[in-house]
Amino acid sequence: MHILSSALLALMLFVNMVSAVSVSSTSAEPFEPGKEGSLRVTIRNTLDEDVTDVSFRLILDELPFVSVGSTESSEDNLDEGKEENFYFTLRPSYDIRPGDYQLPYEIKYTKGNGDQGTSKGSIGISVVAQPELEFSVTQETPVVGEQGKITLKIVNNGLADARFVSIKVSPNGFTLL
C-alpha cells in the first residue's frame, strides 16, 4: 500500500511539472531569402490556473533572420485551458541557405500566487528558393568545312544551389567531336 501511495504521489508531481504555458501549434508558409513572411504561434495554458503577464519572445540572435517589427509579443492574461495566438513578420537574409531552421523562443508568465514561470523551446521553419539557370552559346572560328569551337556557359542566377545539372546537346547540321 505504501508503494502504491508513493507511486501515486510521484505521478501527481510529474503531471504537475509537465503542466505549463507552452507552444501548441505554429503556422508559416515556407520563407524565401530576402522576402518577408508571417509566422503564427499558438500557445496554450495547460496549468490548473489562470496566468497573467504572458510574454512570447523569439530569440533571433546569431540567426540569419530579421524581425519586421518586434520579436516579442504579450498578452495581459491567459485563462486555464485557453489558447492565444501571437503573430510575427520575419525576413530571412538575402544570402541565407535554403533549408530547415530552428528559431528558439522563450515564454514568461506569472501564476496566480505571484510565482514567475518560464518555458523555452524552438520552432522549426523552412526557407526555400529555386535555382534560375541561364545559358549561352558562343562559337569560335565558325567556318564551313573547318573545325571550330563551341562554348556553353551555364549561370545560376537563383538563390538556391543547382544540383545534378545535366546537359544534352543535339547538334543539327554539324558533328560534335
Side-chain angles (χ1 to χ4, degrees):
M1 187 67 169
H2 179 68
I3 295 173
L4 181 62
S5 62
S6 296
L8 187 58
L9 178 62
L11 178 64
M12 288 175 46
L13 288 173
F14 176 73
V15 168
N16 193 24
M17 289 184 344
V18 174
S19 296
V21 177
S22 59
V23 172
S24 63
S25 68
T26 62
S27 174
E29 294 294 320
F31 288 86
E32 294 181 45
K35 295 186 180 179
E36 292 181 9
S38 296
L39 171 65
R40 179 187 52 82
V41 179
T42 303
I43 65 170
R44 181 176 186 80
N45 180 358
T46 59
L47 294 169
D48 294 332
E49 61 182 316
D50 297 348
V51 294
T52 59
D53 302 323
V54 180
S55 168
F56 182 93
R57 181 173 68 98
L58 289 172
I59 304 168
L60 301 179
D61 303 338
E62 300 179 25
L63 290 173
F65 292 89
V66 174
S67 176
V68 179
S70 180
T71 58
E72 187 170 0
S73 188
S74 62
E75 189 65 32
D76 290 336
N77 61 7
L78 184 59
D79 295 338
E80 169 189 347
K82 298 294 181 182
E83 293 183 336
E84 186 66 41
N85 292 318
F86 295 95
Y87 298 92
F88 300 93
T89 302
L90 302 176
R91 183 176 53 240
S93 66
Y94 284 99
D95 60 352
I96 192 171
R97 294 190 61 81
D100 296 327
Y101 290 85
Q102 293 291 322
L103 304 180
Y105 67 82
E106 180 179 59
I107 302 171
K108 291 184 178 182
Y109 53 92
T110 304
K111 297 179 183 179
N113 62 4
D115 289 346
Q116 300 292 314
T118 302
S119 297
K120 294 181 179 185
S122 63
I123 299 168
I125 63 169
S126 294
V127 176
V128 298
Q130 297 296 320
E132 294 177 21
L133 300 179
E134 293 182 5
F135 69 93
S136 63
V137 178
T138 57
Q139 51 189 343
E140 294 177 20
T141 61
V143 177
V144 176
E146 292 191 24
Q147 187 173 340
K149 183 177 178 183
I150 296 176
T151 304
L152 300 173
K153 183 177 180 182
I154 301 171
V155 177
N156 180 4
N157 289 325
L159 297 173
D161 294 338
R163 298 183 181 163
F164 309 111
V165 176
S166 62
I167 300 170
K168 183 176 181 180
V169 179
S170 302
N172 189 10
F174 61 93
T175 304
L176 193 62
L177 301 177

